[in-house]
């Protein structure tokens, strides 16, 4: 007690400890999730035997209840949510990372089975640039994308000791990316967790997962722990959820019943990108092409474009050397690779992506550290699925010249027009008389089946090789050799300069971070600083690191036609420093914190981020907190250098600013009125860093000895908020008063006005009957633009309300008449999320409906073989679907069908993503040690 001298027992509880001083002294024996014990040693000949107790004591003493609610959580000036080593094992979700979504204030969304993303306090996108994810202090972000890919390239369940989620602005100690929160994972130190651990899991959708961890400790001649290492390896494969949403996209002109087709959410290439060529709604169009209306090109479903065979392998090795008993030198290497579907501005197939990190660190716990790490990535064979569909279509008939649309129109004029006019009651146009719009529409509605057949005939003709345009080809039908070979060609060629859709991304980042804590008598002082270098390398497929070239695929032989490409390298560096002061007053009941941080990016001015907080412990278990914090977010590499064509628009970074671009509403007005003065031209200033100031207050308490209560409220002010503007570069024919060319851009930009958010969160944990816990949390978050007319797209993407309710039991003893069941556990959780508008990109913006889900698991531990068996299910059922008694058409749903729907709980978490369904799994965990 009172020193850093420590040891770890073997499997039978035996231990050996070298001490510097003779007796008497005290030993402290502890383990996560158990009540610690203190033993006084008066003589070296004393026999020492200690037995730790679990939840039986945890429910009866306030001090022990705190073992699952750490002092860091209680005394933190910010909201901290945590998952300890026990909760990681007992999560009802299929893995610990997915289980984090049940914590208060945490938003977790699934863009695919292998790609799950965590955000806090709003702006909940699949590109979480406002949250920082670190593993043992190392930023887990992709060097090119500047955000973490969930846990796809992270740590396995076997090696994670705990997860702390710091909710709110946390730049002071974590850096400029810790804008809305930090997900901090701590892995198991091999000195503390030696031995062998193996897990195996299998489940629905052909889920197969296995992991192994092995750690070993070596002692020196004095019997002291000196060197240790650990090895980790993880592999998972499963059939991914299919994104097959056939509903019309938000804002589309036509619905499902349009005989000429419509723009479906997960069917790509049917977006009607021909700038109005494929419609016949003018007077002449309705007269000359009756019944034609608007027609959409034949698209490709996502399942025909991506690889749904999700695979993930990750592993690593770490070496730990104790220079002194409390000073440790660590060298580690980690890698991740695999295939999954990622959703950002488009839907992407991340195929054989590779991610590697190297770290060297020297540290003394709670005193100092100096850490250097490097991260490299390789996009492998990844490609843009949406853009692939456009190139497939253009390889058959180029939309640039409207070949497909013209073929469709010509066929209708030659073969269908007379059939429509021959419909009973149809009135032909007579010169000098008004056209019978409404009457003829009602006639065609009566014969809608015939219209559908005729449109299908026109589509079949347009999808075939054209007699009018001899260089065009027929539609590439999925499943055919023609389709497969062209798709392979397109996805194997870079999206810039080669006419394909493949990403080239071999970006890297290098980071140096040091910190030292002084502890004079009057206060604690922390000093630290960091330097980071980004080296993006996309060869023009993501960033503007190449000169502009024109490209196309030759329709005759499939060869790529392009000019020589000259690549330029982009580098970007930033550095920062911070200092913090902590002082306890009033008999250590009041803890005061003041921190200030300064950051400088090479492209932006120096920015300071001060924070101050007060934490008052009114009684031993009642804590009140008040914090005024600030944070900085430097524009990402994408905000600065992005140059990427997604089909509907070109996405641009904004390091230089733009002049004389046209707003889209004014462009639509010009097209409708042909009045040039209706065009509104704007200039965009270069992007600037985003800043936030947050006022937060909260209260934590342990009530009635076995209830832990935590509530908090925040109000945030965002200055120079970074969002997007949709603008166009327009060339006008001054004679005919019409646009001759239009190119739409989505450009990163700062908000003109202050953006505010506010929220409230409450959680309660109730421990009872020795074994059990009931938990619940509620969150409310809103965005307020204060009536601003700023056209900036904020992408808040967060439900206004959400809650979780759970019940769990651990090491339950069940007494029956003739036998007892020991070592039984369970965990069940119900989640409800209010619907919200998801603003993802020009392609994927729409409503995410309200949804709910139920996760659960039961487990049984067999100590004699060191094994734990678990049967669980995520998204097992949804109460909302059971309560829905009528379908969309108002028809009654039978009871058995309501039950069936409830247990097939498909919910949409990201607009454009898949409907996430049930996952039942069985797992076994072996912890034999050595």
């Amino acid at each position: 007690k009172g020193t850093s001298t420590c040891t770890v027992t073997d499997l039978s509880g035996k231990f050996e400890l070298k001490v510097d001083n003779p007796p008497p002294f005290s030993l402290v024996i502890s383990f996560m999730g158990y009540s610690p014990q203190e033993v006084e040693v008066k003589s070296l000949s004393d026999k020492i035997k200690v037995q730790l107790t679990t939840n039986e004591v945890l429910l009866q003493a306030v001090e022990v209840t705190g073992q699952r609610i750490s002092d860091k959580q209680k005394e933190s000036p910010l909201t901290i949510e945590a998952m300890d080593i026990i909760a990681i094992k007992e999560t009802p979700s299929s893995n610990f990372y997915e289980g984090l979504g049940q914590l208060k204030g945490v938003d977790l969304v699934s863009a695919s089975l292998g790609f799950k993303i965590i955000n806090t306090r709003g702006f909940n996108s699949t590109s979480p640039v406002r949250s920082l994810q670190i593993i043992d202090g190392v930023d887990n972000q992709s060097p090119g994308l500047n955000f973490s890919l969930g846990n796809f390239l992270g740590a396995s369940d076997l090696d994670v000791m705990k997860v702390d989620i710091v909710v709110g602005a946390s730049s002071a100690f974590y850096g400029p990316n810790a804008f809305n929160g930090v997900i901090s994972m701590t892995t198991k130190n091999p000195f503390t967790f030696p031995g062998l651990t193996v897990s195996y899991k299998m489940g629905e959708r052909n889920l197969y997962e296995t992991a192994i961890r092995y750690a070993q400790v070596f002692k020196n001649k004095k019997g002291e722990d000196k060197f240790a290492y650990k090895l980790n390896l993880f592999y998972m494969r499963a059939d991914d959820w299919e994104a097959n949403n056939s509903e019309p996209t938000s804002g589309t002109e036509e619905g499902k019943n349009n005989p000429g087709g419509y723009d479906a959410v997960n069917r790509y290439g049917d977006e009607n990108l021909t700038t109005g060529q494929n419609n016949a709604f003018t007077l002449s169009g309705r007269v000359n092409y009756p019944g034609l209306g608007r027609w959409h090109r034949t698209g490709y479903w996502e399942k025909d474009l991506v690889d749904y065979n999700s695979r993930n392998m990750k592993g690593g090795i770490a070496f730990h050397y104790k220079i002194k008993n409390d000073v440790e030198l660590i060298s580690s290497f980690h890698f991740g690779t695999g295939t999954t579907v990622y959703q950002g501005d488009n839907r992407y197939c991340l195929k054989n992506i590779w991610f590697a990190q190297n770290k060297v660190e020297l540290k003394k716990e709670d005193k100092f550290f100096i850490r250097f790490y490097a991260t490299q990535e390789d996009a492998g064979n990844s490609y843009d699925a949406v853009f692939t569909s456009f190139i497939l279509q253009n390889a058959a008939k180029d939309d640039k010249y409207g070949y497909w649309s013209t073929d469709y129109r010509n066929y209708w004029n030659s073969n269908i027009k007379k059939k429509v006019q021959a419909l009973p009651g149809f009135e032909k146009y007579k010169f000098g008389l008004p056209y019978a719009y409404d009457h003829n529409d009602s006639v065609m509605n009566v014969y809608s089946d015939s219209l559908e057949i005729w449109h299908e005939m026109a589509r079949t003709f347009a999808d075939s090789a054209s007699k009018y345009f001899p260089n065009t080809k027929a539609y590439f039908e999925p499943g055919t050799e023609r389709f497969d070979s062209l798709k392979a060609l397109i996805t194997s060629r870079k999206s810039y300069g080669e006419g394909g859709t493949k990403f080239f991304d071999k970006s890297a980042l290098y980071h140096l971070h040091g910190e030292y804590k002084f502890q004079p008598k009057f206060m604690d002082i922390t000093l630290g600083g960091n330097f980071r270098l980004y080296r993006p390398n996309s060869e023009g497929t993501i960033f503007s690191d190449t000169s502009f070239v024109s490209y196309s695929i030759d329709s005759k032989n499939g060869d790529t036609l392009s000019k020589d490409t000259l690549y330029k390298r982009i580098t970007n560096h930033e550095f920062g420093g911070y200092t913090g002061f902590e002082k306890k007053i009033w008999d250590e009941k009041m803890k005061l914190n003041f921190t200030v941080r300064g950051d400088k990016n090479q492209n932006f001015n120096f920015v300071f981020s001060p924070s101050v907080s007060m934490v008052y412990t009114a009684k031993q278990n009642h804590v009140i907190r008040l914090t005024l914090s600030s944070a900085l977010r430097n524009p990402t590499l994408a905000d600065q250098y992005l140059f990427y064509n997604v089909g509907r628009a070109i996405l641009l970074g904004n390091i230089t600013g733009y002049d004389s671009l046209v707003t889209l509403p004014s462009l639509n007005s010009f097209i409708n009125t042909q009045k040039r003065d209706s065009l509104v031209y704007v200039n965009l200033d270069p992007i600037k860093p985003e800043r936030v100031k947050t006022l937060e207050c909260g209260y934590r308490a342990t009530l009635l000895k076995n209830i832990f209560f935590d509530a908090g409220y925040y109000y945030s002010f965002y200055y120079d908020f970074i969002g997007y503007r949709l603008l166009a570069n327009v060339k006008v024919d001054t004679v005919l008063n019409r646009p001759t060319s239009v190119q739409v851009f989505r450009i990163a930009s700062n908000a003109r006005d202050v953006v505010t958010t506010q929220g409230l969160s409450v959680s309660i944990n109730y421990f009872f009957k020795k074994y059990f816990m009931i938990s619940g949390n509620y969150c409310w978050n809103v965005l307020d633009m204060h009536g601003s007319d700023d056209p900036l797209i904020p992408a808040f993407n967060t439900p206004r309300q959400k809650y979780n309710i759970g019940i769990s039991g651990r090491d339950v003893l069940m007494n029956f008449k003739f036998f007892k069941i020991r070592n039984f556990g369970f965990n069940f959780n119900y989640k409800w999320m209010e619907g919200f508008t998801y603003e993802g990109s020009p392609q994927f913006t729409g409503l995410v409906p309200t949804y709910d889900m139920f996760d659960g698991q039961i487990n049984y531990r067999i100590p004699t073989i060191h094994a734990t068996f678990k049967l669980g299910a995520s998204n097992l059922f949804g109460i909302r679907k059971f309560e829905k008694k009528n379908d969309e058409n108002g028809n009654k749903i039978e009871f058995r069908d309501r039950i069936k729907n409830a247990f097939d709980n498909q919910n949409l978490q990201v607009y454009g993503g898949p409907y996430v369904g049930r996952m039942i799994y069985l797992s076994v965990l072996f912890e034999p040690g050595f």
Side-chain angles (χ1 to χ4, degrees):
K1 181 179 180 181
T3 73
S4 59
T5 304
C6 62
T7 189
V8 180
T9 74
D10 63 15
L11 290 176
S12 60
K14 295 178 181 178
F15 67 92
E16 181 179 321
L17 182 65
K18 299 285 186 178
V19 294
D20 298 328
N21 301 319
F25 53 80
S26 294
L27 299 180
V28 180
I29 301 95
S30 64
F31 190 74
M32 185 74 73
Y34 291 79
S35 174
Q37 299 274 359
E38 283 195 22
V39 176
E40 185 178 7
V41 179
K42 297 180 179 179
S43 170
L44 294 179
S45 60
D46 288 349
K47 182 178 181 180
I48 300 173
K49 185 175 182 179
V50 181
Q51 181 169 345
L52 301 185
T53 55
T54 55
N55 273 1
E56 291 89 340
V57 178
L58 185 140
L59 304 173
Q60 298 172 10
V62 171
E63 293 80 11
V64 184
T65 301
Q67 294 305 302
R68 297 297 296 277
I69 311 294
S70 69
D71 291 338
K72 182 176 180 181
Q73 288 176 264
K74 289 181 178 180
E75 298 183 4
S76 170
L78 297 172
T79 299
I80 292 186
E81 290 295 303
M83 178 178 282
D84 63 19
I85 193 171
I86 295 173
I88 289 170
K89 288 183 179 180
E90 298 179 352
T91 177
S93 302
S94 58
N95 57 68
F96 86 93
Y97 197 84
E98 190 173 349
L100 294 172
Q102 298 161 14
L103 300 179
K104 171 169 55 70
V106 177
D107 292 308
L108 183 138
V109 296
S110 299
S112 64
L113 189 147
F115 187 76
K116 302 177 188 296
I117 290 296
I118 289 176
N119 289 271
T120 58
R121 290 196 175 168
F123 309 105
N124 179 33
S125 75
T126 54
S127 307
V129 294
R130 289 180 174 85
S131 296
L132 174 68
Q133 180 170 296
I134 57 177
I135 302 177
D136 294 330
V138 176
D139 192 343
N140 191 231
Q141 71 167 269
S142 159
L145 299 175
N146 294 161
F147 58 84
S148 141
L149 298 178
N151 199 40
F152 188 70
L153 305 172
S156 74
D157 294 43
L158 294 188
D159 197 40
V160 177
M161 187 182 76
K162 65 174 181 176
V163 184
D164 290 317
I165 299 182
V166 184
V167 182
S170 313
S171 282
F173 294 113
Y174 293 102
N177 291 338
F179 200 66
N180 276 7
V182 178
I183 301 99
S184 176
M185 304 183 197
T186 303
T187 64
K188 297 175 181 176
N189 189 303
F191 284 114
T192 309
F193 295 89
L196 175 67
T197 312
V198 180
S199 70
Y200 174 81
K201 183 185 296 179
M202 60 183 298
E204 291 185 292
R205 306 196 66 80
N206 293 316
L207 172 67
Y208 169 83
E209 179 183 304
T210 186
I212 183 171
R213 179 187 183 274
Y214 182 77
Q216 188 174 9
V217 180
F218 297 89
K219 300 179 181 293
N220 61 12
K221 294 181 179 179
K222 297 180 180 180
E224 301 169 328
D225 291 345
K226 201 66 177 175
F227 175 75
Y229 71 92
K230 66 177 179 178
L231 295 166
N232 275 285
L233 191 61
F234 169 92
Y235 178 77
M236 183 279 294
R237 76 147 312 276
D239 297 333
D240 212 333
W241 313 110
E242 290 188 9
N244 55 8
N245 188 349
S246 62
E247 293 300 312
T249 56
S250 178
T252 189
E253 302 91 342
E254 304 294 344
K256 279 188 172 182
N257 294 326
N258 182 49
Y262 67 100
D263 178 8
V265 175
N266 290 124
R267 185 175 59 201
Y268 313 134
D270 58 359
E271 288 81 3
N272 192 1
L273 299 178
T274 55
T275 62
Q277 294 181 55
N278 51 345
N279 76 80
F281 287 129
T282 63
L283 173 60
S284 61
R286 301 186 73 171
V287 170
N288 296 319
Y289 305 95
L292 183 54
R294 179 178 284 109
W295 60 101
H296 286 249
R297 190 157 184 177
T298 307
Y300 293 95
W301 291 103
E302 182 177 290
K303 64 184 179 64
D304 298 317
L305 300 169
V306 304
D307 185 356
Y308 281 135
N309 181 15
S310 184
R311 301 176 297 280
N312 184 206
M313 177 183 289
K314 52 195 173 188
I317 184 169
F319 302 98
H320 294 240
Y321 179 75
K322 288 190 174 182
I323 298 175
K324 294 182 179 180
N325 191 46
D326 54 357
V327 179
E328 202 168 341
L329 178 64
I330 304 171
S331 176
S332 64
F333 168 75
H334 298 277
F335 76 91
T337 185
T339 295
T340 189
V341 178
Y342 156 65
Q343 180 168 334
D345 300 305
N346 269 348
R347 295 277 290 178
Y348 306 95
C349 181
L350 298 185
K351 194 169 186 178
N352 302 322
I353 187 173
W354 174 267
F355 182 89
Q357 286 186 319
N358 296 273
K359 180 186 79 167
V360 177
E361 181 176 11
L362 179 67
K363 71 174 184 177
K364 181 177 181 179
E365 202 69 42
D366 296 322
K367 188 64 178 178
F368 72 83
F369 68 81
I370 182 167
R371 177 188 304 133
F372 174 78
Y373 60 87
T375 306
Q376 290 89 25
E377 68 181 343
D378 187 335
N381 300 315
S382 302
Y383 58 90
D384 184 331
V386 178
F387 206 44
T388 297
S389 69
F390 299 156
I391 298 180
L392 278 164
Q393 290 179 329
N394 287 340
K397 294 185 179 181
D398 200 331
D399 262 338
K400 181 179 180 181
Y401 304 105
Y403 292 151
W404 187 89
S405 181
T406 301
D407 274 345
Y408 200 107
R409 185 192 298 266
N410 289 341
Y411 183 87
W412 192 271
N413 185 56
S414 301
N415 301 277
I416 307 299
K417 176 181 177 180
K418 292 181 180 180
K419 294 181 180 180
V420 176
Q421 293 173 335
L423 291 173
F426 189 93
E427 295 184 9
K428 294 184 180 180
Y429 173 72
K430 296 180 180 179
F431 183 76
L433 296 177
Y435 184 68
Y437 290 107
D438 296 336
H439 174 77
N440 285 343
D441 286 345
S442 63
V443 170
M444 289 185 287
N445 287 336
V446 172
Y447 297 95
S448 58
D449 292 345
S450 297
L451 278 179
E452 289 183 9
I453 295 172
W454 296 334
H455 270 278
E456 189 60 33
M457 293 166 62
R459 180 176 304 279
T460 301
F461 178 81
D463 283 342
S464 63
S466 175
K467 63 181 180 181
Y468 303 111
F469 312 110
N471 290 330
T472 61
K473 294 184 179 181
Y475 173 76
F476 291 85
E477 187 71 35
T480 63
E481 185 178 350
R482 296 179 68 240
F483 174 87
D484 293 340
S485 60
L486 182 58
K487 175 190 166 188
L489 175 69
I490 294 170
T491 58
S492 65
R493 293 182 172 181
K494 288 186 291 186
S495 61
Y496 197 87
E498 295 182 0
T501 58
K502 179 183 177 181
F503 290 132
F504 179 93
D505 185 9
K506 293 188 177 181
S507 302
L509 73 82
Y510 305 91
H511 190 100
L512 178 65
H513 187 186
E515 181 180 285
Y516 192 89
K517 294 181 179 180
F518 301 90
Q519 294 177 312
K521 293 182 179 180
F522 57 91
M523 70 170 54
D524 294 342
I525 303 173
T526 302
L527 292 174
N530 67 280
F531 174 84
R532 173 172 291 189
L533 174 66
Y534 291 101
R535 290 184 61 84
N537 180 15
S538 75
E539 293 192 356
T541 63
I542 302 174
F543 304 111
S544 55
D545 51 355
T546 182
S547 59
F548 183 82
V549 296
S550 59
Y551 58 86
S552 62
I553 288 185
D554 191 325
S555 59
K556 293 183 178 180
N557 52 30
D559 290 341
T560 298
L561 306 176
S562 68
K563 300 177 182 178
D564 292 337
T565 306
L566 300 175
Y567 298 106
K568 60 182 180 181
R569 292 302 301 270
I570 297 172
T571 61
N572 186 269
H573 69 265
E574 58 189 30
F575 60 88
Y578 57 89
T579 182
F581 305 91
E582 182 178 304
K583 174 70 175 178
K584 290 187 176 182
I585 59 175
W586 299 348
D587 295 328
E588 298 194 344
K589 290 184 177 181
M590 174 73 81
K591 184 169 71 172
L592 303 175
N593 281 278
F594 173 74
T595 61
V596 62
R597 181 183 180 92
D599 285 284
K600 175 70 174 73
N601 183 284
Q602 71 177 51
N603 293 326
F604 310 107
N605 296 328
F606 214 96
V607 180
F608 288 94
S609 306
S611 298
V612 62
S613 67
M614 297 177 290
V615 180
Y616 178 67
T617 305
K619 295 182 180 180
Q620 184 177 2
N621 299 298
H622 296 264
V623 181
I624 301 170
R625 66 188 188 272
L626 178 65
T627 303
L628 178 61
S629 59
S630 60
L632 161 78
R633 181 169 85 85
N634 283 322
T636 63
L637 295 177
D639 292 330
Q640 299 180 58
Y641 305 109
L642 186 67
F643 184 90
Y644 183 64
N645 191 339
V646 295
R648 283 185 167 180
I650 294 178
L651 313 185
L652 298 177
N654 186 12
I655 194 64
T656 58
Y658 294 91
D659 295 334
S660 303
L661 297 178
V662 173
T663 65
L664 297 192
S666 72
L667 174 61
N668 291 331
S669 176
F670 171 57
I671 293 174
N672 293 329
T673 65
Q674 295 185 339
K675 296 181 179 179
R676 289 188 61 192
D677 57 2
S678 62
L679 289 175
V680 176
Y681 289 87
V682 298
N683 299 332
L684 281 187
D685 293 330
I687 198 82
K688 295 185 293 187
E690 178 181 345
R691 295 167 294 125
V692 65
K693 294 181 180 179
T694 299
L695 176 65
E696 179 176 348
C697 59
Y699 170 70
R700 302 183 180 102
T702 303
L703 309 171
L704 303 176
K705 294 186 178 182
N706 54 0
I707 298 176
F708 182 75
F709 175 83
D710 188 1
Y713 170 81
Y714 74 91
Y715 200 101
S716 295
F717 301 82
Y718 292 85
Y719 302 89
D720 296 321
F721 179 85
I722 297 176
Y724 304 103
R725 291 286 303 274
L726 292 176
L727 298 167
N729 183 21
V730 180
K731 293 183 180 180
V732 179
D733 185 325
T734 57
V735 176
L736 299 177
N737 236 13
R738 66 183 184 186
T740 58
S741 69
V742 175
Q743 176 57 64
V744 177
F745 299 111
R746 194 202 71 180
I747 306 174
S749 180
N750 298 100
R752 296 195 305 254
D753 305 315
V754 176
V755 175
T756 65
T757 63
Q758 59 175 317
L760 171 72
S761 61
V762 179
S763 67
I764 300 176
N765 293 342
Y766 172 50
F767 303 88
F768 69 101
K769 294 292 184 181
K770 295 186 178 181
Y771 308 106
F772 308 108
M773 180 182 73
I774 293 178
S775 61
N777 60 65
Y778 168 83
C779 292
W780 170 78
N781 295 277
V782 293
L783 170 74
D784 191 350
M785 301 291 289
H786 297 283
S788 171
D789 60 355
D790 191 339
L792 189 90
I793 300 173
F796 190 58
N797 298 346
T798 302
R800 185 181 179 89
Q801 299 181 89
K802 62 184 177 183
Y803 63 82
N804 287 274
I805 300 174
I807 183 171
S808 62
R810 178 163 60 94
D811 290 334
V812 177
L813 174 62
M814 302 177 66
N815 288 307
F816 295 94
K817 186 174 182 179
F818 299 106
F819 62 93
K820 295 180 179 180
I821 296 179
R822 299 178 181 272
N823 307 315
F824 170 75
F826 63 89
N827 194 342
F828 302 106
N829 187 84
Y830 174 77
K831 169 181 286 204
W832 180 89
M833 301 272 286
E834 187 176 10
F836 59 94
T837 298
Y838 184 89
E839 298 172 316
S841 69
Q843 177 72 25
F844 298 116
T845 293
L847 176 67
V848 173
T850 298
Y851 69 89
D852 62 350
M853 56 195 298
F854 181 86
D855 298 345
Q857 62 90 1
I858 56 175
N859 65 81
Y860 181 65
R861 184 167 57 88
I862 306 178
T864 55
I865 61 173
H866 312 288
T868 301
F869 296 86
K870 182 163 76 169
L871 175 64
S874 60
N875 203 14
L876 180 60
F877 65 86
I879 295 176
R880 292 186 70 252
K881 288 200 172 182
F882 174 74
E883 293 176 341
K884 191 174 181 180
K885 298 181 180 180
N886 297 292
D887 61 19
E888 288 75 7
N889 299 320
N891 300 318
K892 182 180 178 181
I893 303 176
E894 297 296 330
F895 181 80
R896 63 181 181 181
D897 292 327
R898 288 164 54 200
I899 291 288
K900 181 180 178 181
N901 293 339
F903 281 90
D904 186 19
N905 186 31
Q906 305 281 324
N907 59 64
L908 184 68
Q909 301 179 16
V910 178
Y911 189 81
Y915 282 90
V916 177
R918 181 188 63 201
M919 173 62 77
I920 298 176
Y921 64 89
L922 175 66
S923 69
V924 58
L925 172 66
F926 291 101
E927 300 175 282
F930 286 109

